[in-house]
Amino acid sequence: MNQEQIAKSKTLELLLSASNWDPSMENPEISAKDAYFWYLYDNATDHLQLIQTSRSESELMIATPQPFSPDEIRSALAHLMRDMKSQQSKPKEQKSKTMNDLATMTLLYWQGTNTRLLTPKEVRHRFILSYSAGKQEGTSLRPFAVPLGGDVNCPLAAEKAMELVRQVEAGDRKNHPEWFTGC
């Protein structure tokens, strides 16, 4: 990495720490680039995970035909999200592989959602996915984008992301109570 990339990486590390995210970067090379930020929330464990991907690599993946069916993608993503909290205590190499898999499946899932189609390009880092597993209904993935102002290369604070998850869930409970039967 050159000096500018090192400075960007250190700046993002400080931003993550100030926003109550884990400041350790799985891949410091990504932080020196234009990035997507994905916020994944698991209701069962109350775990919020920040995933960062390079914008150029993400857009290349998005432009490539999907290798899996939508059902396969949803199933794999739900499985990975269910286990993301337990990955925090794994060795760095294993955790890194799982987070890369999670990022890949998140991108593939997002590619097929209406949220992607309705979201302006500048809102690329405000994609939040909430996961829950009901006893009778199975698993549920709830994507949404949050168009807020600010620098698109800065992550949302963890508290703000959780506030948004709770607002959307409250709206969903009011407007779609059928989604919550059996939860």
Side-chain angles (χ1 to χ4, degrees):
M1 285 196 297
N2 65 33
Q3 292 295 71
E4 180 183 354
Q5 292 171 324
I6 291 169
K8 283 183 177 181
S9 177
K10 291 294 182 193
T11 300
L12 181 59
E13 193 173 322
L14 288 170
L15 284 169
L16 290 171
S17 182
S19 301
N20 292 326
W21 294 109
D22 180 359
S24 65
M25 299 301 298
E26 292 300 321
N27 184 354
E29 297 285 331
I30 291 174
S31 64
K33 301 176 182 177
D34 199 12
Y36 280 96
F37 292 99
W38 310 90
Y39 306 86
L40 309 176
Y41 177 68
D42 176 11
N43 276 331
T45 61
D46 193 36
H47 179 73
L48 183 65
Q49 180 72 49
L50 173 66
I51 301 285
Q52 179 190 9
T53 60
S54 158
R55 182 177 183 186
S56 59
E57 292 167 8
S58 298
E59 289 180 354
L60 179 62
M61 182 184 288
I62 289 167
T64 304
Q66 290 188 7
F68 307 106
S69 74
D71 285 341
E72 290 171 318
I73 293 168
R74 278 190 297 276
S75 176
L77 181 57
H79 175 77
L80 288 165
M81 286 184 71
R82 183 191 69 221
D83 295 337
M84 67 186 169
K85 183 175 183 177
S86 67
Q87 294 302 312
Q88 301 308 307
S89 61
K90 302 287 183 187
K92 184 174 178 157
E93 185 176 294
Q94 185 178 356
K95 178 182 171 185
S96 182
K97 182 190 177 326
T98 301
M99 291 300 127
N100 286 336
D101 292 346
L102 190 56
T104 299
M105 286 295 124
T106 300
L107 276 166
L108 292 175
Y109 175 75
W110 177 72
Q111 187 175 355
T113 66
N114 287 335
T115 302
R116 175 185 177 240
L117 299 174
L118 300 172
T119 305
K121 200 169 190 168
E122 67 272 7
V123 186
R124 69 185 183 276
H125 77 296
R126 303 269 165 73
F127 180 72
I128 301 175
L129 184 62
S130 182
Y131 163 82
S132 61
K135 292 180 177 93
Q136 296 171 337
E137 300 296 318
T139 60
S140 171
L141 296 172
R142 172 57 163 102
F144 62 97
V146 184
L148 300 171
D151 184 346
V152 294
N153 289 311
C154 294
L156 294 172
E159 293 82 11
K160 181 65 176 174
M162 277 308 305
E163 178 185 321
L164 295 167
V165 166
R166 289 187 181 103
Q167 286 175 2
V168 168
E169 183 178 340
D172 286 347
R173 284 187 182 278
K174 178 181 176 189
N175 297 325
H176 299 282
E178 70 277 11
W179 292 357
F180 297 91
T181 58
C183 292

